[in-house]
Amino acid sequence: MSEMSEDRYTLNKQLAQMLKGGVIMDVTTPEQAKIAQEAGACAVMALERIPADIRAAGGVSRMSDPKMIKGIQEAVSIPVMAKCRIGHFVEAQVLEAIEIDYIDESEVLSPADDVYHIDKRGFKVPFVCGAKDLGEALRRINEGASMIRTKGEPGTGDIVQAVRHMRKMNSEIAKITSMRADELFEEAKQLAVPYELVAYVHDNGRLPVVNFAAGGVATPADAALMMQLGAEGVFVGSGIFKSGNPAKRAAAIVKAVTNYSDSRLIAELSEDLGEAMVGINEQEIELLMAERGK
Amino acid sequence: MRIGVLAVQGAFAEHIAKLNGMGVDCIELRQRADLEQCFDGLILPGGESTVQGKLLRELQMFEPLRDRIGQGLPVLATCAGLILLAQRIADDETVWLGTLPVCVRRNAYGRQLGSFHTEAQMEGIGTVPMTFIRAPYVESLFGADTQILARVDGRIVAVQYGNQIGVAFHPELDEDDRIHEMFLRLCRQNSA
């Protein structure tokens, strides 16, 4: 790698490994961050407005106030992540300056660049990026992302897109795994990614970084569904603090991720959680955030 | 021989892959029913100690595991696992299993920018690679029975007390198998 030392990139991928089997929760205040930590979040995403409210408010959505992020950093001992706009490398520099643990270059915010993503190799802090398919994932990894998540439609409470992205990623990985070695060069060309990354997927049957599910997770069953489909952990955005009983729902989702194939336990966890977030169906959405950044 | 790996959250798959590569069978411990199977040693992996500790309690695994460790079940605890074992956590009221008589400091090297990789002497093994990810270190020992196994820059990063080995770093992330071998020797001696 160019500026980022190989060591630092390895350490950043390894932090994502430590988050596996966990739930990363969107929070907007230190109080919510504490509730999330108490409920068993393995990290929190600090942002000014959760995606459902960003969607409702409309307008340009930007990186959060660093003061607000610092308040959350002081409130909890678990890692704190924050979002910057796609391509907005100065917002990323600001987040690095306040020693954020992970930056999400996120389609939830308004993109700052409609062509280029951030050159993430130039940073010491790690980045997580969204991907709808394998090509997008490997392009982000080539730019220096050390963690990938699905790009399920944020703020909708609708799991359909996250499922679509995870299944597509899995089937593309399976296809590459079954290819002859001499077919990988053409595949790299089709995916618009370097041959070495395609060869890694071919040899290992997985992405070279940790892959989480994100977007539309609202219930313990949603979270377990994504885990059974192969996600290594789950981001929950609006699903928790837009619901009737955030602490209880958050704790239930955490346990469902740990024991994602124990249907009897998930049944228990799903009882009496109160009102789930209302949710919007795919067909009712005017703005598809997943289409931001390719 | 079979090793139980706490698999409620974190980097348990990496420990299992390493042990399988060394020809050792593992079982994942995700809930109380899993503890009814036989295992000769326990691994507490890296991850988030607050998450793991809470899940240990809520999935009713806490007391049976603490009792078995107290009875001498060999344990290898890495990073968050070390925090779960410690009798005291600096500036924190929380005590999880509390079977290892040391005081640890969480996030002792700061945030992710403070994570690092190095090599250092490990007692009885030699120089080993050490990967520290938002790592703790051991601030003090209670009593003379706890042995210091390694220091980095003067800080204690590996200790042993009876059959409990606690390390602040992640031997499961490096190619070197010697720390896992040391743990397996303890398991063999204990079950012999």
Side-chain angles (χ1 to χ4, degrees), chain A residues 12 17-18 20 77 258 262, chain B residues 8 10 14 30 106 134:
Chain A
N12 287 342
Q17 286 174 264
M18 297 306 139
K20 282 190 302 180
S77 63
T258 296
D262 183 342
Chain B
V8 293
E14 287 77 355
R30 290 177 184 268
R106 291 186 66 199
R134 284 174 47 97

Side-chain angles (χ1 to χ4, degrees), chain A residues 134-140 142 185 187-198:
Chain A
L134 182 62
E136 221 175 303
L138 295 181
R139 286 193 290 280
R140 297 297 86 78
N142 190 41
F185 300 97
E187 185 65 14
K189 198 170 90 187
Q190 294 297 332
L191 293 173
V193 299
Y195 163 79
E196 288 69 26
L197 289 176
V198 176

Side-chain angles (χ1 to χ4, degrees), chain A:
Chain A
M1 301 238 156
S2 50
E3 286 122 334
M4 184 163 49
S5 78
E6 195 61 57
D7 241 3
R8 182 53 54 187
Y9 184 58
T10 302
L11 290 166
N12 287 342
K13 286 197 287 186
Q14 288 168 333
L15 174 58
Q17 286 174 264
M18 297 306 139
L19 301 174
K20 282 190 302 180
V23 181
I24 300 168
M25 302 181 192
D26 279 0
V27 297
T28 59
T29 62
E31 290 68 38
Q32 286 185 355
K34 281 183 195 150
I35 292 171
Q37 178 170 271
E38 291 282 303
C42 69
V44 290
M45 177 77 69
L47 69 178
E48 242 149 22
R49 280 192 298 214
I50 56 176
D53 292 335
I54 292 175
R55 194 174 277 288
V60 173
S61 168
R62 310 178 180 89
M63 177 190 76
S64 299
D65 181 342
K67 187 175 172 187
M68 168 266 172
I69 298 171
K70 282 191 209 157
I72 287 171
Q73 285 175 317
E74 279 157 27
V76 293
S77 63
I78 55 180
V80 178
M81 304 183 166
K83 292 181 192 290
C84 72
R85 286 180 265 178
I86 290 175
H88 205 315
F89 51 86
V90 174
E91 284 187 350
Q93 289 163 3
V94 169
L95 293 174
E96 183 170 68
I98 60 169
E99 297 198 11
I100 202 79
D101 291 301
Y102 241 98
I103 297 176
D104 185 0
E105 187 184 15
S106 178
E107 70 281 2
V108 173
L109 306 182
S110 308
D113 193 320
D114 53 8
V115 180
Y116 300 106
H117 278 73
I118 295 171
D119 171 9
K120 293 166 277 288
R121 297 185 186 205
F123 288 81
K124 292 194 182 76
V125 289
F127 281 81
V128 54
C129 287
K132 299 189 294 292
D133 53 38
L134 182 62
E136 221 175 303
L138 295 181
R139 286 193 290 280
R140 297 297 86 78
I141 292 165
N142 190 41
E143 292 157 3
S146 47
M147 181 178 183
I148 291 292
R149 54 172 177 76
T150 60
K151 234 171 159 183
E153 208 44 41
T156 61
D158 188 358
I159 198 70
V160 65
Q161 294 93 346
V163 167
R164 190 184 294 149
H165 302 164
M166 191 57 74
R167 281 193 183 273
K168 180 140 194 238
M169 185 94 74
N170 290 344
S171 72
E172 287 174 318
I173 289 173
K175 183 183 131 203
I176 287 180
T177 309
S178 65
M179 278 180 167
R180 277 169 55 98
D182 61 2
E183 294 170 346
L184 300 178
F185 300 97
E186 177 61 19
E187 185 65 14
K189 198 170 90 187
Q190 294 297 332
L191 293 173
V193 299
Y195 163 79
E196 288 69 26
L197 289 176
V198 176
Y200 181 94
V201 172
H202 176 263
D203 295 346
N204 296 279
R206 55 161 296 137
L207 290 180
V209 303
V210 166
N211 186 18
F212 269 47
V217 176
T219 67
D222 286 347
L225 172 68
M226 295 313 299
M227 293 299 286
Q228 288 196 27
L229 284 173
E232 298 183 278
V234 173
F235 283 86
V236 188
S238 318
I240 289 172
F241 289 100
K242 275 286 162 189
S243 73
N245 189 341
K248 190 171 179 189
R249 182 168 293 266
I253 291 176
V254 168
K255 268 182 261 177
V257 166
T258 296
N259 282 289
Y260 58 86
S261 45
D262 183 342
S263 46
R264 198 176 299 173
L265 179 66
I266 295 167
E268 270 171 45
L269 295 171
S270 305
E271 282 181 17
D272 291 325
L273 288 180
E275 197 82 6
M277 71 177 286
V278 176
I280 325 168
N281 288 307
E282 188 178 23
Q283 297 75 14
E284 301 164 349
I285 308 175
E286 284 177 17
L287 173 66
L288 273 172
M289 291 178 176
E291 292 305 316
R292 291 168 164 176
K294 299 280 164 120

Side-chain angles (χ1 to χ4, degrees), chain B residues 86-90 101-105 137-142:
Chain B
Q87 249 172 33
R88 198 182 299 164
I89 303 172
V102 297
C103 175
V104 296
R105 181 165 290 280
Y137 57 63
V138 175
E139 210 164 60
S140 56
L141 310 177
F142 308 133

